[in-house]
Amino acid sequence: MEYKLRKAEPKDVPDILRLVKELAKYEDMEHQVALTEKDLLEDGFGETPFYHCIIAELPGETSSQDPSVVGFAMYYFTYDPWVGKQLYLEEFYVMDRCRGLGIGSGILRHLSDLAMKTRCTGMMFVVAENNEPSVQFYKRRGAEDLSQEEGWRLFRFSKDSLVKMATPSEE
Amino acid sequence: MNFKLRAATKDDCKDISRMITELAVYENMPDQVKISHEELERDGFCQNPFFECLIAEVPEEQKSKEGFTVVGYALYFYTYSTWMGPTVYLEDLYVMPEFRGNGIGKGLLCKVAEVAKKKQCVRLQLSVLNWNTPSRDFYAAKGAKDLTATEGWHFIRFDGQNLDNLVNEAPTN
């Protein structure tokens, strides 16, 4: 089955949100998606995009049908003060019914190529430790689990804590 | 102790580079620092910078044993959560040992939180080494949650030969 990878355009935003919600459901956290199509449009296709997106498309069943969006990867550039630019893979998902066709591998290869072309020395992301299929997918391709190997733990401050810290205190 | 927090300028990159190496030594990984102040100048002060940096500075009369007045830094950049929107990722936070205990670290963290709030970010994220108890406690005391513990998130990386291998398999379409 021929699939096509291309840069996302503003018209893809409804599909991107649909896939974000499907991935969140797979991770048992779909109620946590607070973003709307409007947010995704402003944040990805405004003056300073916060993210970039690659879309995977399958052709329509007949020549008169539109292609359907069946997978995506959302990424942005981060910085490691020891080695420089990194490509950070925020979201990576292929619809259930389209797995096993090489789309996931194709997206990952495309991103690696992009990382090298943009002078990144690495590609990083997080995976939930109980997500065995994903952990194995990445390990097979040579990824290192830095939490295991170097002991890195991911911490987060939510909005409430942020607001508390940001409000000037009496000192 | 008097200290001032301000946005870094290109001229600060030599001091930032010095402190990056000091932090790497503290984390037992000094040989992993491969870039110098030149890359920092190029990547942090171009048209679309890849990071922002805050500096902690003390007056001349309180300078360090070796004569430095730039004594701490916070390096961060903007990331994106598909669930909640723009976020800030705090990549490095460091205060020179002889200046600790004066509220500089806390000041830098709060200043980053202020930047996050101004840019309408909904989260601040960072990572800490599991043996680094002082830092883990510092962040937990300010309200941070350890997502590796509570949700099982692990940091994964492809670099060096492994990244090259992936590229060499890239399709030509």
Side-chain angles (χ1 to χ4, degrees):
Chain A
M1 200 176 284
E2 281 299 307
Y3 66 89
K4 181 174 140 191
L5 296 181
R6 60 170 176 81
K7 251 174 100 158
E9 295 161 46
K11 68 175 172 115
D12 294 313
V13 158
D15 276 310
I16 296 173
L17 186 58
R18 169 178 61 83
L19 295 175
V20 162
K21 288 182 173 165
E22 278 186 33
L23 176 51
K25 196 170 171 183
Y26 171 79
E27 289 165 339
D28 284 326
M29 299 197 233
E30 71 178 310
H31 55 283
Q32 293 206 37
V33 181
L35 281 188
T36 62
E37 283 178 18
K38 182 168 175 277
D39 295 320
L40 279 176
L41 195 62
E42 269 172 29
D43 297 336
F45 300 93
E47 220 175 76
T48 323
F50 279 92
Y51 69 85
H52 307 282
C53 204
I54 301 286
I55 295 287
E57 232 172 31
L58 282 180
E61 308 254 310
T62 65
S63 54
S64 54
Q65 273 188 329
D66 282 335
S68 54
V69 173
V70 300
F72 81 119
M74 180 189 278
Y75 64 94
Y76 39 79
F77 296 99
T78 61
Y79 204 76
D80 181 329
W82 295 357
V83 291
K85 280 175 70 177
Q86 303 283 297
L87 189 145
Y88 190 90
L89 180 53
E90 173 62 36
E91 298 271 272
F92 178 23
Y93 178 74
V94 175
M95 288 172 71
D96 214 345
R97 61 176 170 86
C98 302
R99 302 221 184 120
L101 302 172
I103 298 178
S105 300
I107 292 177
L108 202 59
R109 286 193 297 264
H110 180 100
L111 288 173
S112 314
D113 195 39
L114 182 76
M116 303 299 284
K117 286 200 173 105
T118 51
R119 230 193 341 105
C120 294
T121 55
M123 181 160 69
M124 299 190 60
F125 44 94
V126 292
V127 182
E129 68 196 351
N130 59 16
N131 186 353
E132 265 308 303
S134 294
V135 170
Q136 288 313 314
F137 175 87
Y138 296 122
K139 284 206 160 147
R140 272 202 301 273
R141 287 161 177 79
E144 298 170 83
D145 181 341
L146 299 183
S147 290
Q148 213 166 53
E149 289 175 37
E150 294 178 13
W152 290 100
R153 313 189 69 82
L154 180 64
F155 274 64
R156 176 194 294 158
F157 284 102
S158 65
K159 191 147 187 220
D160 291 341
S161 316
L162 262 190
V163 167
K164 274 199 196 115
M165 284 195 292
T167 306
S169 63
E170 57 284 351
E171 64 186 355
Chain B
M1 176 173 289
N2 281 327
F3 64 89
K4 182 172 125 184
L5 301 178
R6 59 169 177 79
T9 64
K10 212 165 170 177
D11 291 334
D12 292 316
C13 288
K14 290 200 172 84
D15 274 304
I16 300 171
S17 184
R18 166 181 59 83
M19 290 188 287
I20 285 171
T21 307
E22 287 175 23
L23 178 52
V25 166
Y26 172 79
E27 288 168 340
N28 294 325
M29 300 192 235
D31 47 309
Q32 294 207 37
V33 182
K34 308 284 189 220
I35 61 173
S36 72
H37 66 93
E38 282 166 5
E39 282 85 357
L40 292 176
E41 284 163 15
R42 178 194 62 195
D43 299 333
F45 299 90
C46 51
Q47 195 167 55
N48 293 310
F50 290 96
F51 65 85
E52 292 180 4
C53 196
L54 293 173
I55 293 290
E57 208 169 21
V58 295
E60 188 62 31
E61 53 276 16
Q62 285 175 336
K63 64 181 186 232
S64 78
K65 289 193 293 278
E66 296 101 336
F68 299 120
T69 53
V70 173
V71 302
Y73 76 108
L75 192 149
Y76 61 93
F77 41 78
Y78 301 99
T79 60
Y80 200 71
S81 158
T82 45
W83 295 357
M84 308 223 39
T87 54
V88 167
Y89 189 88
L90 179 57
E91 174 65 34
D92 273 10
L93 175 62
Y94 175 76
V95 177
M96 289 168 67
E98 81 188 81
F99 294 90
R100 291 189 197 152
N102 291 298
I104 298 178
K106 191 171 128 188
L108 282 167
L109 182 62
C110 291
K111 207 81 181 143
V112 174
E114 201 177 72
V115 167
K117 195 173 151 196
K118 278 202 184 109
K119 288 261 163 104
Q120 322 227 330
C121 293
V122 294
R123 279 176 179 166
L124 172 63
Q125 296 198 153
L126 50 113
S127 49
V128 186
L129 286 162
N130 57 10
W131 54 256
N132 191 352
T133 319
S135 294
R136 286 174 72 176
D137 290 345
F138 172 80
Y139 294 119
K142 306 299 286 169
K145 302 273 178 290
D146 178 342
L147 297 184
T148 300
T150 56
E151 293 178 15
W153 292 102
H154 282 223
F155 255 125
I156 311 279
R157 179 177 62 202
F158 280 99
D159 65 1
Q161 192 60 56
N162 296 312
L163 188 60
D164 285 343
N165 291 342
L166 275 181
V167 172
N168 289 333
E169 295 168 41
T172 46
N173 74 314

PDB file of all heavy atoms in Angstrom, chain A residues 43-56:
ATOM      1  N   ASP A  43      -1.026  27.922  17.260  1.00  0.00           N
ATOM      2  CA  ASP A  43       0.280  27.530  17.797  1.00  0.00           C
ATOM      3  C   ASP A  43       1.191  26.899  16.755  1.00  0.00           C
ATOM      4  O   ASP A  43       2.411  26.916  16.920  1.00  0.00           O
ATOM      5  CB  ASP A  43       0.103  26.566  18.987  1.00  0.00           C
ATOM      6  CG  ASP A  43      -0.630  27.217  20.158  1.00  0.00           C
ATOM      7  OD1 ASP A  43      -0.601  28.458  20.259  1.00  0.00           O
ATOM      8  OD2 ASP A  43      -1.233  26.476  20.966  1.00  0.00           O
ATOM      9  N   GLY A  44       0.617  26.323  15.700  1.00  0.00           N
ATOM     10  CA  GLY A  44       1.447  25.640  14.713  1.00  0.00           C
ATOM     11  C   GLY A  44       1.613  26.394  13.411  1.00  0.00           C
ATOM     12  O   GLY A  44       2.567  26.166  12.662  1.00  0.00           O
ATOM     13  N   PHE A  45       0.710  27.306  13.132  1.00  0.00           N
ATOM     14  CA  PHE A  45       0.733  27.962  11.826  1.00  0.00           C
ATOM     15  C   PHE A  45       0.677  29.479  11.944  1.00  0.00           C
ATOM     16  O   PHE A  45       0.330  30.177  11.013  1.00  0.00           O
ATOM     17  CB  PHE A  45      -0.407  27.418  10.951  1.00  0.00           C
ATOM     18  CG  PHE A  45      -0.288  25.931  10.729  1.00  0.00           C
ATOM     19  CD1 PHE A  45      -0.944  25.036  11.567  1.00  0.00           C
ATOM     20  CD2 PHE A  45       0.510  25.427   9.718  1.00  0.00           C
ATOM     21  CE1 PHE A  45      -0.807  23.658  11.398  1.00  0.00           C
ATOM     22  CE2 PHE A  45       0.647  24.056   9.536  1.00  0.00           C
ATOM     23  CZ  PHE A  45      -0.018  23.175  10.375  1.00  0.00           C
ATOM     24  N   GLY A  46       1.051  29.977  13.130  1.00  0.00           N
ATOM     25  CA  GLY A  46       1.097  31.425  13.354  1.00  0.00           C
ATOM     26  C   GLY A  46       2.478  31.964  13.029  1.00  0.00           C
ATOM     27  O   GLY A  46       3.268  31.311  12.352  1.00  0.00           O
ATOM     28  N   GLU A  47       2.792  33.125  13.558  1.00  0.00           N
ATOM     29  CA  GLU A  47       4.073  33.769  13.252  1.00  0.00           C
ATOM     30  C   GLU A  47       5.268  32.996  13.797  1.00  0.00           C
ATOM     31  O   GLU A  47       6.281  32.847  13.125  1.00  0.00           O
ATOM     32  CB  GLU A  47       4.078  35.170  13.854  1.00  0.00           C
ATOM     33  CG  GLU A  47       4.714  36.195  12.946  1.00  0.00           C
ATOM     34  CD  GLU A  47       4.584  37.594  13.542  1.00  0.00           C
ATOM     35  OE1 GLU A  47       5.337  37.884  14.488  1.00  0.00           O
ATOM     36  OE2 GLU A  47       3.712  38.349  13.076  1.00  0.00           O
ATOM     37  N   THR A  48       5.156  32.527  15.058  1.00  0.00           N
ATOM     38  CA  THR A  48       6.235  31.714  15.650  1.00  0.00           C
ATOM     39  C   THR A  48       5.670  30.345  16.010  1.00  0.00           C
ATOM     40  O   THR A  48       5.100  30.182  17.073  1.00  0.00           O
ATOM     41  CB  THR A  48       6.782  32.352  16.951  1.00  0.00           C
ATOM     42  OG1 THR A  48       6.801  33.755  16.812  1.00  0.00           O
ATOM     43  CG2 THR A  48       8.173  31.825  17.255  1.00  0.00           C
ATOM     44  N   PRO A  49       5.802  29.384  15.107  1.00  0.00           N
ATOM     45  CA  PRO A  49       5.211  28.070  15.421  1.00  0.00           C
ATOM     46  C   PRO A  49       5.888  27.431  16.628  1.00  0.00           C
ATOM     47  O   PRO A  49       7.109  27.494  16.767  1.00  0.00           O
ATOM     48  CB  PRO A  49       5.464  27.235  14.167  1.00  0.00           C
ATOM     49  CG  PRO A  49       6.117  28.107  13.180  1.00  0.00           C
ATOM     50  CD  PRO A  49       6.456  29.414  13.803  1.00  0.00           C
ATOM     51  N   PHE A  50       5.071  26.834  17.515  1.00  0.00           N
ATOM     52  CA  PHE A  50       5.597  26.094  18.659  1.00  0.00           C
ATOM     53  C   PHE A  50       5.899  24.652  18.288  1.00  0.00           C
ATOM     54  O   PHE A  50       6.564  23.940  19.033  1.00  0.00           O
ATOM     55  CB  PHE A  50       4.594  26.101  19.826  1.00  0.00           C
ATOM     56  CG  PHE A  50       4.626  27.358  20.636  1.00  0.00           C
ATOM     57  CD1 PHE A  50       3.795  28.426  20.335  1.00  0.00           C
ATOM     58  CD2 PHE A  50       5.501  27.477  21.702  1.00  0.00           C
ATOM     59  CE1 PHE A  50       3.840  29.596  21.074  1.00  0.00           C
ATOM     60  CE2 PHE A  50       5.540  28.652  22.461  1.00  0.00           C
ATOM     61  CZ  PHE A  50       4.712  29.707  22.143  1.00  0.00           C
ATOM     62  N   TYR A  51       5.356  24.199  17.156  1.00  0.00           N
ATOM     63  CA  TYR A  51       5.577  22.821  16.758  1.00  0.00           C
ATOM     64  C   TYR A  51       5.590  22.724  15.239  1.00  0.00           C
ATOM     65  O   TYR A  51       5.117  23.636  14.554  1.00  0.00           O
ATOM     66  CB  TYR A  51       4.501  21.899  17.348  1.00  0.00           C
ATOM     67  CG  TYR A  51       3.124  22.098  16.753  1.00  0.00           C
ATOM     68  CD1 TYR A  51       2.746  21.458  15.582  1.00  0.00           C
ATOM     69  CD2 TYR A  51       2.190  22.925  17.376  1.00  0.00           C
ATOM     70  CE1 TYR A  51       1.496  21.657  15.024  1.00  0.00           C
ATOM     71  CE2 TYR A  51       0.929  23.133  16.826  1.00  0.00           C
ATOM     72  CZ  TYR A  51       0.590  22.499  15.652  1.00  0.00           C
ATOM     73  OH  TYR A  51      -0.646  22.686  15.115  1.00  0.00           O
ATOM     74  N   HIS A  52       6.130  21.593  14.750  1.00  0.00           N
ATOM     75  CA  HIS A  52       6.068  21.244  13.327  1.00  0.00           C
ATOM     76  C   HIS A  52       5.426  19.876  13.231  1.00  0.00           C
ATOM     77  O   HIS A  52       5.503  19.087  14.195  1.00  0.00           O
ATOM     78  CB  HIS A  52       7.476  21.199  12.727  1.00  0.00           C
ATOM     79  CG  HIS A  52       8.267  22.437  12.963  1.00  0.00           C
ATOM     80  ND1 HIS A  52       8.088  23.595  12.246  1.00  0.00           N
ATOM     81  CD2 HIS A  52       9.236  22.701  13.877  1.00  0.00           C
ATOM     82  CE1 HIS A  52       8.917  24.516  12.704  1.00  0.00           C
ATOM     83  NE2 HIS A  52       9.625  24.012  13.681  1.00  0.00           N
ATOM     84  N   CYS A  53       4.831  19.586  12.085  1.00  0.00           N
ATOM     85  CA  CYS A  53       4.076  18.333  11.992  1.00  0.00           C
ATOM     86  C   CYS A  53       4.276  17.669  10.630  1.00  0.00           C
ATOM     87  O   CYS A  53       4.307  18.352   9.601  1.00  0.00           O
ATOM     88  CB  CYS A  53       2.615  18.680  12.228  1.00  0.00           C
ATOM     89  SG  CYS A  53       1.640  17.326  12.804  1.00  0.00           S
ATOM     90  N   ILE A  54       4.457  16.342  10.653  1.00  0.00           N
ATOM     91  CA  ILE A  54       4.507  15.539   9.418  1.00  0.00           C
ATOM     92  C   ILE A  54       3.244  14.700   9.390  1.00  0.00           C
ATOM     93  O   ILE A  54       2.857  14.131  10.412  1.00  0.00           O
ATOM     94  CB  ILE A  54       5.716  14.571   9.450  1.00  0.00           C
ATOM     95  CG1 ILE A  54       7.013  15.321   9.604  1.00  0.00           C
ATOM     96  CG2 ILE A  54       5.757  13.676   8.226  1.00  0.00           C
ATOM     97  CD1 ILE A  54       7.445  16.034   8.360  1.00  0.00           C
ATOM     98  N   ILE A  55       2.622  14.604   8.226  1.00  0.00           N
ATOM     99  CA  ILE A  55       1.368  13.852   8.070  1.00  0.00           C
ATOM    100  C   ILE A  55       1.636  12.621   7.219  1.00  0.00           C
ATOM    101  O   ILE A  55       2.401  12.690   6.252  1.00  0.00           O
ATOM    102  CB  ILE A  55       0.344  14.759   7.324  1.00  0.00           C
ATOM    103  CG1 ILE A  55      -0.011  15.956   8.181  1.00  0.00           C
ATOM    104  CG2 ILE A  55      -0.892  14.003   6.907  1.00  0.00           C
ATOM    105  CD1 ILE A  55      -0.900  15.631   9.340  1.00  0.00           C
ATOM    106  N   ALA A  56       1.001  11.493   7.563  1.00  0.00           N
ATOM    107  CA  ALA A  56       1.034  10.303   6.707  1.00  0.00           C
ATOM    108  C   ALA A  56      -0.360  10.124   6.124  1.00  0.00           C
ATOM    109  O   ALA A  56      -1.360  10.145   6.842  1.00  0.00           O
ATOM    110  CB  ALA A  56       1.438   9.066   7.512  1.00  0.00           C
TER     111      ALA A  56
END
